[in-house]
Amino acid sequence: FIENKIFHVVLSGGEPFSNFKILTHGLKRLREANITTSCNSNLSLATPDRIKELVDCGLDHILASWYTNDSESSAAITNVTDSYDMVKKGIEVAVNNGMRVSVNTVVTQSNKNEVYKSGKKIAELGAFQFLAYRAIPPVQERGQINPTHVISKEEALTSLDELLLLKSEYGLQVGTLISYPLCLLGDLDKYSDFIGRGCPSQSGHRFSIHPDGTSNTCVMEDVNYGNIYEVGLKKAYDRNSEKWQNYSYINEICKKCSYVDICQAGCRMDALAHTGYMDGADPLMVGEEGIKNEIKYLPPQEIMDK
């Protein structure tokens, strides 16, 4: 990472707290190299002492997982009886000991009606941000999607409306980790909180490395671009960029859209799971004619001056 001038590293898993010594070692080394960090965790193993140690190591943000606002359904999803209480307690422990906490939930048929109630609870626990986004079916399901994994266009928009309501009522920052096609949103001014991320993989801002050194572009991808211990980080990354960053995976219809550089054609993994092709259409795409209200965002002048 240092040799290749990486500027930000997300330490994830599995559950990184289960190998806490390695987690703290990585954070210390990255901080010494002036590389910023974040961590993904379900916080079920969080304790006050552990959170304080992470803060001392330079970590200031954790992205936590949330399943539903119900203990029984959370247990069914995680296969852990008291997972709901463990995650709830973990968020409180992290917040109360100086950690900024974002919380994300994956919206499926089993919890699509829980977004608002979950966000309300998360705000009460002290998290500053709530992210909710559609589930992406496993790419192994190519063309044979389990219907419990997917939500409709209407259900996706409902989940975003509930996020905006949470922002208005509780001051939560809101967003998504999996981008939606902008044509689905339609009113880009209304849904401006969900615009601008695009696909981090498609735009070259994300590369995933596994503990054994194998690498993917998207965390959901089932392609190995090379083992970084064997070919090096740069060569593995260059292999991914040959396809991801030259628009090879952009759907042909989307290439003609004036918003393609921002939207990045929605989610390529969702397209792959539904169509069997990386350049297939995102199942939630409706076409550029779906955009009814242009975005009106202007960046603050002080940012432009800098």
Side-chain angles (χ1 to χ4, degrees):
F1 294 160
I2 296 169
E3 290 173 359
N4 287 276
K5 298 182 173 58
I6 303 300
F7 68 90
H8 183 75
V9 173
V10 179
L11 294 145
S12 187
E15 175 47 57
F17 276 54
S18 66
N19 202 344
F20 198 74
K21 185 177 180 180
I22 291 296
L23 176 60
T24 55
H25 169 75
L27 289 168
K28 290 173 183 175
R29 290 283 289 114
L30 293 164
R31 184 183 188 184
E32 291 167 0
N34 291 319
I35 298 173
T36 58
T37 57
S38 184
C39 178
N40 296 349
S41 167
N42 61 32
L43 287 175
S44 62
L45 301 177
T47 64
D49 288 344
R50 282 185 159 188
I51 297 298
K52 290 173 183 175
E53 186 174 352
L54 294 178
V55 172
D56 290 342
C57 290
L59 184 69
D60 73 343
H61 174 253
I62 290 176
L63 174 66
S65 303
W66 184 272
Y67 308 102
T68 72
N69 197 45
D70 173 77
S71 57
E72 288 188 12
S73 52
S74 293
I77 292 170
T78 62
N79 205 28
V80 176
T81 303
D82 53 351
S83 58
Y84 177 76
D85 292 329
M86 293 168 70
V87 171
K88 212 169 53 161
K89 180 181 177 183
I91 293 172
E92 286 183 301
V93 167
V95 170
N96 292 339
N97 287 278
M99 187 68 67
R100 292 187 310 128
V101 177
S102 299
V103 179
N104 78 286
T105 191
V106 179
V107 184
T108 66
Q109 287 300 317
S110 63
N111 67 352
K112 65 184 181 183
N113 298 319
E114 297 283 324
V115 174
Y116 179 82
K117 288 184 284 187
S118 292
K120 180 181 178 182
K121 174 59 67 176
I122 286 162
E124 293 170 353
L125 294 172
F128 80 97
Q129 185 178 45
F130 184 39
L131 309 162
Y133 53 92
R134 54 174 161 165
I136 305 300
V139 294
Q140 293 84 358
E141 291 185 0
R142 289 175 173 83
Q144 297 180 329
I145 304 301
N146 184 333
T148 62
H149 289 161
V150 297
I151 56 175
S152 68
K153 295 172 182 177
E154 293 75 18
E155 289 164 342
L157 289 174
T158 297
S159 71
L160 298 184
D161 287 338
E162 292 184 350
L163 286 177
L164 291 177
L165 185 59
L166 289 163
K167 176 184 178 181
S168 173
E169 293 184 353
Y170 296 98
L172 279 171
Q173 292 184 28
V174 296
T176 63
L177 290 181
I178 303 292
S179 60
Y180 288 98
L182 298 193
C183 55
L184 169 72
L185 305 184
D187 187 341
L188 303 189
D189 195 49
K190 173 184 176 181
Y191 293 111
S192 59
D193 287 275
F194 313 108
I195 296 172
R197 178 180 178 84
C199 173
S201 298
Q202 189 79 44
S203 53
H205 299 154
R206 177 170 63 191
F207 195 56
S208 304
I209 299 168
H210 303 279
D212 63 357
T214 54
S215 59
N216 305 112
T217 302
C218 175
V219 294
M220 301 177 190
E221 195 175 12
D222 59 356
V223 176
N224 175 20
Y225 291 95
N227 191 305
I228 66 165
Y229 300 132
E230 297 170 1
V231 303
L233 176 57
K234 186 177 187 305
K235 189 169 184 178
Y237 179 78
D238 287 345
R239 287 176 178 173
N240 107 85
S241 62
E242 289 176 7
K243 292 287 188 180
W244 276 95
Q245 294 169 44
N246 69 359
Y247 278 24
S248 293
Y249 294 153
I250 295 285
N251 181 259
E252 284 299 318
I253 295 175
C254 295
K255 287 180 180 178
K256 303 171 185 176
C257 177
S258 54
Y259 276 94
V260 64
D261 289 331
I262 303 172
C263 178
Q264 300 289 348
C267 178
R268 297 297 82 216
M269 292 297 102
D270 209 356
L272 175 63
H274 277 84
T275 70
Y277 299 97
M278 287 288 285
D279 63 351
D282 184 307
L284 299 183
M285 183 186 81
V286 300
E288 189 170 5
E289 64 276 8
I291 297 177
K292 305 301 182 185
N293 190 16
E294 304 286 339
I295 191 167
K296 300 180 178 67
Y297 173 76
L298 289 174
Q301 188 59 45
E302 60 269 22
I303 292 179
M304 298 303 292
D305 291 342
K306 288 182 179 181

